[in-house]
C-alpha cells in the first residue's frame, strides 16, 4: 500500500483548523475530483469522486468513515470505493494531525494517506498510480491550506 505525506504550517490557531475539519461541506471542495458528499451521520459519509489516471477516467462511489477524532489533534478515516464500470476498487486510510506551532497563532498540519487499488486501475503501473495519487494528496493539502487561510482574512 503506497503511503503519501504532506506537511505544512497554517498561520491560524489549531482550534480553528480543527473546527474547519469538522465541517465536511467545507472540506469536500479540497478533495480533487470530489463531485458530491452526503452525510449519513456524524462519522459516516458517501462521496462521489471522478479522476483521470493516465488514459483511464474513473468515478468512485466511496463510503467514508471517521475512525478517530481526538480533538484538536488528530482526525483519521477510512474510505472504500468502487467504480463498477471499470471493475476497480479503492481503499484509503488517511489521517490529519495538528500540532500547535505557536500558541494560539500557528498550526503544523500533517496529512498521511495510504492507498490500495485493485482491478484495472491497479494494472496501470505503479509509477503512474503513485504519481497521480501523490498529486492528489498534494492538491488536497494545498486546497485545505488555501481554504483555511481564505477564511481567516
Amino acid at each position: 500500500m503506497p503511503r503519501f505525506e504532506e506537511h505544512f504550517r497554517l498561520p491560524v490557531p489549531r482550534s480553528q483548523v480543527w473546527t474547519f475539519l469538522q465541517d465536511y461541506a467545507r472540506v469536500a471542495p479540497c478533495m480533487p475530483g470530489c463531485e458530491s458528499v452526503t452525510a449519513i451521520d456524524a462519522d459516516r459519509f458517501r462521496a462521489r469522486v471522478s479522476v483521470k489516471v493516465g488514459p483511464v477516467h474513473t468515478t468512485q462511489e466511496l463510503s467514508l468513515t471517521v475512525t478517530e477524532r481526538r480533538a484538536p489533534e488528530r482526525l483519521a478515516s477510512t474510505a472504500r470505493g468502487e467504480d463498477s464500470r471499470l471493475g476497480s476498487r479503492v481503499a484509503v486510510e488517511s489521517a490529519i494531525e495538528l500540532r500547535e506551532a505557536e500558541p494560539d497563532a500557528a498550526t503544523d498540519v500533517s496529512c498521511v494517506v495510504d492507498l490500495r487499488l485493485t482491478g484495472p486501475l491497479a494494472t496501470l503501473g505503479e509509477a503512474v498510480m503513485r504519481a497521480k495519487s501523490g498529486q492528489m494528496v498534494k492538491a488536497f493539502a494545498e486546497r485545505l491550506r488555501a481554504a483555511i487561510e481564505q477564511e481567516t482574512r
Side-chain angles (χ1 to χ4, degrees):
M1 183 180 292
R3 173 171 280 209
F4 305 94
E5 297 184 32
E6 288 293 326
H7 307 276
F8 55 94
R9 181 169 286 184
L10 290 168
V12 296
R14 180 168 63 167
S15 61
Q16 190 172 342
V17 179
W18 181 258
T19 299
F20 182 94
L21 291 173
Q22 301 311 300
D23 186 346
Y24 77 92
R26 291 176 14 196
V27 175
C30 299
M31 182 187 298
C34 184
E35 295 179 346
S36 65
V37 176
T38 305
I40 298 168
D41 58 36
D43 290 330
R44 295 181 307 138
F45 304 87
R46 285 200 174 87
R48 181 180 174 93
V49 177
S50 291
V51 179
K52 187 168 193 274
V53 183
V56 177
H57 184 268
T58 181
T59 299
Q60 297 283 329
E61 301 292 339
L62 299 172
S63 294
L64 184 136
T65 302
V66 174
T67 56
E68 182 180 6
R69 275 186 217 272
R70 193 171 7 131
E73 300 166 354
R74 180 176 165 84
L75 181 65
S77 65
T78 60
R80 306 272 182 264
E82 180 177 9
D83 182 331
S84 57
R85 184 182 56 82
L86 287 179
S88 291
R89 294 178 189 255
V90 63
V92 180
E93 294 179 15
S94 61
I96 297 177
E97 294 192 358
L98 308 175
R99 289 192 176 77
E100 198 169 62
E102 297 172 27
D104 295 322
T107 305
D108 287 331
V109 181
S110 296
C111 298
V112 178
V113 177
D114 292 306
L115 175 70
R116 184 176 53 244
L117 295 166
T118 59
L121 281 178
T123 64
L124 285 176
E126 185 175 349
V128 171
M129 290 310 302
R130 274 190 175 277
K132 183 61 177 186
S133 299
Q135 289 170 359
M136 290 181 69
V137 172
K138 185 175 185 69
F140 172 79
E142 289 170 357
R143 290 175 181 183
L144 180 66
R145 177 178 42 221
I148 293 172
E149 287 177 348
Q150 179 67 31
E151 287 192 5
T152 63
R153 291 184 186 149

